[in-house]
Amino acid sequence: MDREEILEGVIEVVEKTLKASDVDEDTFMQDDLHIESLDFYSLLANLEKQFKIRIPERYLAEVETVGDIADLVSDIRSKKG
Amino acid sequence: MLFRELFSYHAQVMQNKIVAYKYEFGEFEGVSCEKFHEDCYRAEAFWARESGDKRVRIAMVAENSYTYLVQLFGIILSGNTAVPINQNLSRNDLTGFIKELKIDMVAADEDWAEELAQLNVLSKDKIFNIEETSCNLKEGGKSKSIGEDDLSVILLSSGTSGKSKAVHISQRNLTISSKRISFENRDCSEKVMQVIPIYHIGGIILSIEELMRGNAILISNAKYYLIQFANFAFDKLLLVPAMAQNLFNKAPDREDINEGLNNVKSMLCVGAPLLAETVSRMRARNIKPIVYYGLTEATGTISGDGEYKDGACGKICPHNEVKIVDGEILVRGENVTSGYINNDEATRELLEGGWLHTGDLGKIDEDGYLFIIGRSKNIIILSNGENVSPEELESKLYECGEIEETMVFGENDTVCAKIYCGRDSNGEKENTVREFVRNMNRSLPTTKKIKEIIFVNEELPKSGVGKIKR
C-alpha cells in the first residue's frame, strides 16, 4: 500500500468518523474539523481497524493535519514490515 | 488473604463461564474462566522464570487491554511487584520513574519497548514487549513464596500537590475490598466495560471487584471505548464522568450509541465529581448511578456501598473505619497502605496516629453515607480567615461545556482560575466562559467569587498519574 492509498483510506475514515466532507491532505484536525479529544480517540480506533495496526495515543500530540495522520500510518506500517 | 487465594476462589466459582472479552481490530472474543486463568498462569510462569531467585519490580507501560490485565495478574501471582505507569508520560518522566523506583524489568507496548531499549535505561534483555511475556507452564520458573504484607503493586499516588509518591500496596491491601463482594454478592453475570486506566488504583481494584462479582469484563481505554460501546451490548460501565457525558451527548445523533445506552443498567463514575446533570440523564434512561470514594493510599475503595444518594460517595465500606477530625476524613483498615516507598517523612505524616490522613474534607450523614466537601491540603486561605475549596469551584466550572481543564488557586488574596478551552479555543469560547463565570459568581458568597480568569493555550501540567498539578 503506497502513501496515496493510505491517504485515501485515512480520508475515508476521517470523513466517516467525524461526519465531515471535503477532507483532504491539508485539512487541519483542530482548525478545520474542530475535533474534540474524545473524538480523536475514536478516530484512532477506526484507523487501527482500517489499517490493522496499533497507533499509540502519545503520537496524538504530533498530529495536526490529515496528511500527518497518513504519514504516521505509513511509518507504523513500514516499521511493522 | 493472598491474591493467589482470591484468584483460585474465582476459578472455583466461575468454572467455565465467560469472564472477560478480548477486542482486536473490531472483533470481540469471549474468554472462558479456564482460558483466562490459563493465560494468567502462563504470564506468571514467564515472570517467575525471568526473575530467577530474586523478587523484582516490573514496570508496566501500555494502554489498557485484556493482555495488560493478564500480565498484571501474572506478575502479582509470580511473587514479583507490578508497577503500572501511565504510558502517555514524556520520555524523561518515564525514564525518571524507572530509575527512581529501582525498576528491574519492563513490560511495555511494542513502541515503548523499542524506545526504552534504545535509551539504555535498562539492559535490553530486561525490556519485554507485553504481548510476548507468556510461556508454557513447563518452561516457566518457580513463583516466590510471599506473605500478606509483601509488596504486590507499587502505584504512583494521585497527589495533586507536587511530585508523585510511590505507594506500597501489599497482597492484603489488594484483596481486602473484594472479600466483601466475593462472599456476599456474587454471580451477577453482567457484561462490564471497564475504561479506568490500570495505572490508577481504581482500574485495578474495580477490575478485580467485577471479576469477583461474577461479571465478564472488557478492559477498554479512551481510544476504544466509543467504538466498543457502539458495537456490543454492555450492562454496566466503569468510566470517568466526561466519558459518560460524551455518550449521552452523542446518543441523539448515533442510533448505535442510543441503543447501547438502552442496554446499560448501571454506570460507575470515578476520578471526578459526578455532575447532577449526568445523574439526571442516567435516571431518565433508568440507569443506576454508582459512585465511590477512594485513594491510592487506601487501595481504592473507602466508600461506595449502598444505593446512590445525591451528593454522596456511597456508604462507608465494611473493610475500613472512617472518622472525621477537624473536618478531615481519616481512615483505618486493612486496605490502608503501610506507606510510601523511600519516603519515611511523608509516610509519618500520612499515617500519623495510626490513621490515614486523606487530606480530604468530608462529613458522614446519619445513614453512613460519606460526603466529600473539599481537599484540605489545597484549601485557599484568604487573609480574612475564610477558607475556599478549589475543588468545589472547579466542579462548578466544569459545568460549563467549553472548559476542558481548570485549576482554581489563590493569588494576592483573591480567587483565580486558570482555564483551558481545548486546542480549538477561540474568542467566542472564551466569551462564553466569561459569561458563565459572571453568572456563577452571582450565586457565590463574596469570598468564593472568581475574580480573575487566566486563559491558557496548552493543557495544564499534570502529575505522574494524569491529575492537574497545583
Side-chain angles (χ1 to χ4, degrees), chain A residues 19 30 36 38-42 44-46 48-49 52-60 79, chain B residues 24-26 63 87-88 111-112 114-115 222-227 242 246 250 254 404 423-424:
Chain A
K19 294 193 170 48
Q30 297 299 336
E36 301 281 339
L38 288 173
D39 286 336
F40 226 129
Y41 287 120
S42 297
L44 281 191
N46 288 333
E48 290 189 352
K49 195 174 156 189
K52 302 266 184 286
I53 52 169
R54 292 214 178 280
I55 310 174
E57 282 169 51
R58 61 196 176 106
Y59 290 157
L60 283 183
K79 260 206 268 178
Chain B
E24 191 156 42
F25 303 132
E63 65 192 15
Q87 78 281 6
N88 294 320
D111 197 63
W112 266 124
E114 272 178 27
E115 196 165 333
K223 191 161 54 175
Y224 298 139
Y225 87 99
L226 209 52
I227 196 170
N246 194 32
K250 287 205 162 21
R254 291 269 306 264
E404 278 210 8
R423 282 192 274 189
D424 56 343

Side-chain angles (χ1 to χ4, degrees), chain B residues 219-415:
Chain B
I219 301 294
S220 184
N221 57 47
K223 191 161 54 175
Y224 298 139
Y225 87 99
L226 209 52
I227 196 170
Q228 289 170 338
F229 183 77
N231 288 286
F232 200 85
F234 292 101
D235 302 296
K236 183 176 186 179
L237 310 180
L238 315 182
L239 69 188
V240 294
M243 289 177 177
Q245 200 65 350
N246 194 32
L247 291 176
F248 288 118
N249 289 344
K250 287 205 162 21
D253 301 324
R254 291 269 306 264
E255 190 44 41
D256 48 3
I257 289 179
N258 187 45
E259 210 171 292
L261 283 169
N262 289 339
N263 293 315
V264 177
K265 298 185 189 85
S266 61
M267 276 192 198
L268 192 162
C269 289
V270 296
L274 184 58
L275 303 179
E277 185 202 345
T278 315
V279 174
S280 302
R281 292 169 100 173
M282 287 186 199
R283 285 178 170 155
R285 286 175 175 266
N286 281 327
I287 297 171
K288 185 180 148 193
I290 311 173
V291 288
Y292 95 137
Y293 167 66
L295 258 71
T296 309
E297 289 83 347
T299 325
T301 326
I302 292 172
S303 71
D305 287 353
E307 289 299 309
Y308 178 80
K309 187 185 249 194
D310 283 331
C313 292
K315 280 187 179 180
I316 293 159
C317 296
H319 57 254
N320 57 200
E321 291 172 72
V322 174
K323 66 176 180 179
I324 312 288
V325 176
D326 296 334
E328 188 184 9
I329 301 167
L330 306 189
V331 183
R332 188 165 69 176
E334 291 185 56
N335 54 326
V336 172
T337 178
S338 61
Y340 298 117
I341 309 273
N342 301 331
N343 197 338
D344 293 343
E345 194 186 330
T347 299
R348 267 194 299 277
E349 269 179 39
L350 180 78
L351 300 174
E352 197 190 334
W355 288 79
L356 166 66
H357 291 246
T358 64
D360 291 329
L361 302 176
K363 62 176 185 186
I364 303 168
D365 75 2
E366 62 281 5
D367 299 321
Y369 279 84
L370 185 65
F371 291 75
I372 311 301
I373 300 164
R375 189 167 168 82
S376 63
K377 288 173 189 167
N378 297 331
I379 288 291
I380 302 167
I381 303 171
L382 301 172
S383 64
N384 60 6
E386 288 286 344
N387 291 355
V388 178
S389 159
E391 282 86 359
E392 188 191 340
L393 295 175
E394 284 161 12
S395 73
K396 286 182 193 295
L397 284 168
Y398 278 123
E399 287 175 19
C400 172
E402 303 294 355
I403 296 177
E404 278 210 8
E405 291 180 355
T406 183
M407 198 262 287
V408 170
F409 62 101
E411 197 169 79
N412 299 329
D413 216 29
T414 57
V415 180

Side-chain angles (χ1 to χ4, degrees), chain B residues 454-470:
Chain B
I454 301 156
F455 288 102
V456 294
N457 297 322
E458 289 182 0
E459 288 184 18
L460 296 169
K462 313 278 189 327
S463 65
V465 291
K467 288 206 174 181
I468 293 167
K469 277 187 187 173
R470 293 194 182 275

Side-chain angles (χ1 to χ4, degrees), chain B residues 90-144:
Chain B
S90 69
R91 191 182 298 155
N92 281 348
D93 283 348
L94 180 59
T95 52
F97 282 128
I98 288 174
K99 286 177 193 156
E100 197 179 312
L101 297 173
K102 298 190 172 58
I103 297 296
D104 301 289
M105 295 179 186
V106 176
D109 60 43
E110 188 180 10
D111 197 63
W112 266 124
E114 272 178 27
E115 196 165 333
L116 288 171
Q118 283 166 12
L119 291 171
N120 286 327
V121 60
L122 284 172
S123 70
K124 285 182 182 160
D125 61 343
K126 303 292 181 204
I127 299 169
F128 301 92
N129 178 340
I130 197 166
E131 300 287 340
E132 295 165 1
T133 45
S134 164
C135 71
N136 288 330
L137 300 185
K138 282 180 190 166
E139 294 165 5
K142 191 171 176 293
S143 295
K144 280 92 191 148

